[in-house]
Amino acid sequence: MLALARKLNQSIVIGNNIEITLLEIKGDQIKVGINAPKSVPIYRKEIYEQIQEENKKAAQAEVDVKSLENLFPGNIK
């Protein structure tokens, strides 16, 4: 892990198109701004972990083919 020290309104750049700026410091909280292309997904880590867990569950779930056939008659082979 790379650890960098930054002051208020200073930034770091990741790659060629992601910029992270330190916007505010209040007590033990720091507000950061992230400037990145819309094609780059940005999540808080706890949300990202929830998404990954839900994706794992969905990939392991069994598909009820009969229910799908009822929803889409004639389309499932």
Side-chain angles (χ1 to χ4, degrees):
M1 173 188 294
L2 173 64
L4 299 171
R6 298 280 71 204
K7 294 181 181 177
L8 194 60
N9 295 318
Q10 291 183 333
S11 300
I12 61 171
V13 176
I14 301 172
N16 293 322
N17 55 5
I18 299 173
E19 181 178 2
I20 299 174
T21 304
L22 182 56
L23 299 176
E24 183 179 351
I25 303 170
K26 272 190 184 176
D28 64 347
Q29 287 190 331
I30 298 169
K31 188 181 289 187
V32 296
I34 303 169
N35 187 3
K38 291 185 184 230
S39 62
V40 175
I42 301 171
Y43 303 103
R44 295 188 329 244
K45 184 175 181 178
E46 62 274 15
I47 299 299
Y48 178 79
E49 290 171 347
Q50 288 177 352
I51 291 168
Q52 294 301 312
E53 186 60 35
E54 289 300 319
N55 286 344
K56 286 179 190 175
K57 288 179 187 176
Q60 295 171 352
E62 291 190 30
V63 176
D64 182 357
V65 176
K66 288 288 184 193
S67 294
L68 288 175
E69 287 174 346
N70 290 337
L71 287 173
F72 304 101
N75 290 330
I76 298 177
K77 296 177 183 177

